[in-house]
């Protein structure tokens, strides 16, 4: 009894037809939080039909890119873990396994035209969410969740490129995609997070070494800029020109700070297996813990700029070291100017999640994180009065605004779901590891060579690269990113 498609479908359509109630949120009530997350999840999933006969599992319809779908399935794994509602689990498994690609490393040929290292990493994060949550394991003919993340890591570490800027990964995997000459925070911070999570899950020191390497490079690069307030909190800029490393793209995105924060938190919370006189003991590395906890603490402060006051504070003048200006999470680079592209409204979902997990892994940060998430959630719910295709509970983007801002989309629903459900993190177990409850089996060599250990299972493995409507997707992503920085609205056709 693995994938019960008909059951899953029935559950999905049922939930879609029962969501016309108003969302209300009492942040002191688990039931109320679960109910709010359930509505946001159903609204988000109303965009997804990859599970329906004839459609391709794992893909959102255009203009949503492949990576965002991958991220969405990870948020749904967390949804299940936090709320106990398993109605999407089969759909999630189907999608995560259908998109593993011909070599089991989340590089499906169909996505070549828009496949950056960061896109690939978001699918790996979702595979890790599954491993860390104890999500039902794939059937035995498939790789394990953690092996899929290891396969992604195995493709990424050799891409470390010290020919320019002293190291780092390029944004794009393929030189022919726009963005090849960009070294950015989400790519390198994604690799950092992936390394840190694999280290914590498996205990394998190689991952720690690479997490350290990625951290060191980023910390000393203009991406993590400490020049604004020397010796203090770094700000995390978006990235730099790989052909001119002092050409830095100075814009703030929540997920860039978030991936550094949670990566540091995972590093702070690792335990080592020490074997002494034949006895094996789990030991916390106190030195490493203190160093990384301090980094996580600084990075939490670096997220202050994203917390604004009610009624629309634009905190452009706010600095990470200033006293927290507000308590409501905002994607400050594009919300106030209504210039977000289709990717960006989902970023707050990741910052919410990564902050919540940070609170579990670095308990000294838990209460500050919880208060920011609960204030954000309580404000966000006011945005959930949007109407769309008969639904009256669609969430908008500007959580700081008391009236629906007229925006809807996958990212808006995902961000709302994430900030709601992560209020339940207080009672949730910390991410599992190999030696602490995790049942997903490590396979460090996986994904290298020809098709992984059991060969490709994708029936379309021999398809040539499909250009079609995905052609040039990388260019669009790149342009919209740059233009958003200039405050120009870029509409994707
Ligand atoms: C790749 O595209 C083909 C053609 O649309 C489709 O049949 C196939 O399912 C796709 N594979 C994946 C992994 O998305
Ligand atoms: C890049 O790193 C590799 C391995 O550390 C080293 O062999 C190589 O010389 C380095 N290249 C440059 C240009 O620094
Ligand atoms: C590199 O970028 C910096 C900052 O934008 C600029 O001042 C400088 O002229 C650029 N150098 C070259 C060689 O283009
Ligand atoms: C503990 O962590 C520190 C900093 O990451 C590292 O230098 C040290 O080697 C670690 N010690 C052990 C015993 O793992
Ligand atoms: C640790 O990971 C590295 C890199 O994938 C691998 O080469 C090595 O075999 C792993 N070690 C163990 C003990 O699994």
């Amino acid at each position: 009894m693995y994938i019960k498609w008909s059951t899953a479908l029935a559950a999905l359509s049922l939930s879609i037809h029962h969501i016309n109630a108003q969302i209300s949120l009492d942040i002191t009530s688990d039931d109320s939080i679960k109910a709010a997350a359930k509505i946001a999840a159903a609204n988000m999933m109303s965009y997804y039909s990859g599970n329906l006969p004839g459609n391709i599992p794992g893909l959102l319809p255009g203009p949503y890119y492949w990576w965002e779908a991958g991220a969405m399935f990870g948020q749904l794994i967390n949804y299940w873990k936090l709320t106990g509602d398993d109605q999407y689990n089969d759909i999630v498994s189907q999608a995560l396994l259908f998109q593993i690609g011909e070599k089991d490393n989340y590089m499906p040929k169909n996505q070549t035209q828009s496949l950056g290292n960061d896109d690939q990493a978001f699918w790996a994060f979702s595979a890790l969410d599954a491993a860390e949550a104890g999500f039902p394991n794939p059937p035995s003919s498939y790789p394990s969740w953690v092996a899929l993340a290891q396969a992604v890591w195995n493709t990424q570490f050799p891409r470390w490129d010290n020919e320019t800027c002293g190291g780092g990964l390029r944004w794009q995997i393929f030189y022919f995609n726009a963005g090849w000459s960009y070294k950015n925070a989400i790519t390198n911070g994604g690799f950092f997070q992936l390394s840190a999570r694999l280290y914590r899950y498996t205990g394998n020191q190689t991952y720690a070494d690479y997490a350290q390497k990625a951290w060191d490079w980023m910390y000393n690069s203009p991406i993590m800029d400490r020049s604004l307030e020397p010796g203090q909190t770094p700000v995390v800029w978006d990235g730099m020109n790989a052909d001119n490393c002092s050409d830095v793209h100075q814009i703030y995105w929540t997920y860039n700070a978030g991936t550094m924060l949670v990566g540091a938190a995972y590093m702070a919370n690792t335990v080592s297996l020490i074997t002494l006189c034949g006895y094996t003991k789990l030991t916390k590395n106190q030195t490493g813990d203190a160093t990384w906890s301090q980094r996580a603490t600084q990075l939490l402060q670096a997220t202050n700029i994203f917390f604004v006051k009610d009624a629309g504070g634009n905190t452009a003048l706010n600095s990470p070291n200033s006293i927290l200006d507000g308590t409501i999470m905002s994607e400050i680079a594009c919300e106030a100017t209504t210039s977000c592209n289709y990717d960006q409204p989902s970023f707050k979902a990741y910052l919410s999640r990564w902050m919540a997990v940070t609170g579990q892994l670095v308990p000294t940060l838990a209460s500050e994180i919880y208060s920011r998430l609960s204030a954000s959630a309580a404000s966000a719910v006011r945005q959930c009065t949007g109407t769309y295709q008969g639904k009256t509970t669609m969430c908008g983007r500007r959580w700081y605004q008391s009236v629906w801002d007229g925006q809807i989309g996958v990212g808006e629903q995902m961000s709302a779901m994430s900030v709601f459900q992560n209020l339940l993190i207080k009672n949730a177990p910390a991410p599992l590891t190999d030696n602490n409850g995790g049942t997903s089996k490590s396979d460090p060599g996986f994904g290298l060579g020809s098709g992984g250990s059991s060969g490709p299972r994708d029936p379309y493995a021999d398809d040539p690269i499909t250009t079609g409507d995905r052609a040039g997707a990388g260019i669009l992503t790149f342009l919209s990113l740059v233009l958003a920085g200039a405050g120009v609205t870029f509409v994707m056709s």
Side-chain angles (χ1 to χ4, degrees):
M1 278 299 282
Y2 172 56
I3 294 179
K4 299 165 290 175
W5 303 119
S6 49
T7 319
L9 277 175
L12 179 60
S13 49
L14 258 182
S15 62
I16 285 171
H17 289 111
H18 284 95
I19 53 177
N20 286 323
Q22 202 74 10
I23 302 192
S24 62
L25 179 67
D26 170 2
I27 59 167
T28 64
S29 154
D30 286 3
D31 287 341
S32 170
I33 295 167
K34 287 179 190 176
K38 185 176 182 177
I39 293 172
N43 287 344
M44 176 178 80
M45 288 301 275
S46 71
Y47 290 85
Y48 180 71
S49 59
N51 56 315
L52 299 179
N55 293 352
I56 303 177
L59 302 186
L60 282 162
Y64 298 104
Y65 289 116
W66 179 73
W67 80 271
E68 188 168 343
M72 180 179 86
F73 299 116
Q75 299 292 332
L76 283 169
I77 289 168
N78 303 329
Y79 171 77
W80 159 72
K81 186 67 180 180
L82 292 163
T83 68
D85 178 1
D86 65 1
Q87 67 171 303
Y88 302 113
N89 285 11
D90 292 342
I91 294 175
V92 169
S93 292
Q94 179 201 35
L96 284 177
L97 295 174
F98 195 83
Q99 291 297 327
I100 58 180
E102 296 75 8
K103 292 189 177 172
D104 297 351
N105 56 13
Y106 286 121
M107 292 179 59
K109 276 188 193 159
N110 286 357
Q111 302 301 329
T112 306
Q113 298 284 336
S114 72
L115 188 71
N117 282 302
D118 52 347
D119 304 64
Q120 190 193 17
F122 269 92
W123 285 83
F125 296 157
S126 295
L128 280 172
D129 285 336
E132 293 170 347
F135 191 70
N137 287 312
S140 59
S141 62
Y142 282 85
S144 73
W145 298 124
V146 69
L148 285 165
Q150 288 171 306
V152 171
W153 190 87
N154 284 334
T155 65
Q156 293 205 347
F157 85 84
R159 295 180 190 144
W160 189 263
D161 168 80
N162 54 8
E163 301 220 327
T164 73
C165 308
L169 293 169
R170 289 170 181 273
W171 179 17
Q172 292 300 314
I173 297 170
F174 304 110
Y175 69 88
F176 51 80
N177 282 340
W180 169 252
S181 58
Y182 194 50
K183 288 191 170 173
N184 58 347
I186 193 60
T187 295
N188 288 284
F191 179 66
F192 168 61
Q193 181 189 158
L194 184 57
S195 303
R197 291 173 73 172
L198 283 172
Y199 174 47
R200 183 174 176 280
Y201 190 89
T202 65
N204 183 326
Q205 183 63 33
T206 306
Y207 298 123
D209 295 344
Y210 273 87
Q212 184 72 51
K213 180 176 177 167
W215 171 273
D216 287 343
W217 179 75
M218 290 184 78
Y219 197 70
N220 293 306
S221 85
I223 291 180
M224 284 178 78
D225 189 348
R226 285 165 288 150
S227 68
L228 297 186
E229 288 167 77
Q232 297 192 57
T233 307
V235 302
V236 186
W237 294 131
D238 190 68
M240 62 202 179
N241 183 346
D243 300 322
N244 174 1
C245 312
S246 44
D247 182 9
V248 181
H249 191 46
Q250 298 192 332
I251 186 167
Y252 296 115
W253 296 111
T254 49
Y255 73 165
N256 288 332
T259 194
M260 299 312 294
L261 169 67
V262 79
Y266 273 95
M267 291 303 286
N269 190 271
T270 52
V271 288
S272 316
L273 275 178
I274 308 279
T275 305
L276 208 62
C277 308
Y279 291 96
T280 302
K281 185 169 173 283
L282 267 178
T283 318
K284 196 143 196 224
N285 179 339
Q286 298 295 350
T287 325
D289 187 29
T291 307
W292 286 106
S293 295
Q294 193 196 7
R295 290 171 181 163
T297 305
Q298 282 201 332
L299 281 156
L300 180 61
Q301 202 169 331
T303 67
N304 286 1
I305 42 169
F306 301 112
F307 289 83
V308 303
K309 288 189 174 130
D310 206 1
N314 183 334
T315 52
L317 298 177
N318 202 10
S319 89
N321 285 321
S322 65
I323 308 230
L324 198 61
D325 187 50
T327 52
I328 306 172
M329 193 186 294
S330 169
E331 198 63 69
I332 56 171
C334 69
E335 278 174 10
T337 48
T338 322
S339 58
C340 305
N341 67 13
Y342 285 97
D343 293 336
Q344 292 148 2
S346 72
F347 293 177
K348 285 182 294 183
Y350 321 127
L351 181 58
S352 299
R353 173 63 188 172
W354 294 338
M355 282 176 65
V357 174
T358 296
Q360 289 188 301
L361 298 177
V362 185
T364 51
L365 302 180
S367 90
E368 183 184 343
I369 286 174
Y370 186 76
S371 70
R372 291 205 220 170
L373 290 181
S374 48
S376 296
S379 301
V381 74
R382 304 172 309 172
Q383 279 295 305
C384 302
T385 60
T387 50
Y388 176 67
Q389 294 190 346
K391 292 184 271 296
T392 55
T393 50
M394 300 297 283
C395 302
R397 214 178 264 172
R398 293 179 183 165
W399 296 349
Y400 55 78
Q401 184 174 297
S402 59
V403 177
W404 179 50
D405 62 8
Q407 305 291 332
I408 53 164
V410 173
E412 286 83 350
Q413 313 321 308
M414 197 195 310
S415 291
M417 179 186 84
S418 179
V419 79
F420 297 156
Q421 71 194 17
N422 278 300
L423 299 182
L424 299 166
I425 201 102
K426 287 205 283 195
N427 303 322
L432 303 174
T433 69
D434 215 0
N435 53 32
N436 190 13
T439 59
S440 190
K441 286 279 163 283
S442 166
D443 187 353
F446 193 72
L448 298 170
S450 53
S453 55
S454 13
R457 279 160 305 274
D458 183 333
Y460 306 99
D462 295 319
D463 268 10
I465 292 168
T466 317
T467 43
D469 60 355
R470 301 246 148 202
I475 299 172
L476 291 180
T477 310
F478 185 63
L479 282 178
S480 56
L481 188 97
V482 171
L483 291 175
V488 176
T489 309
F490 183 76
V491 182
M492 273 191 274
S493 52

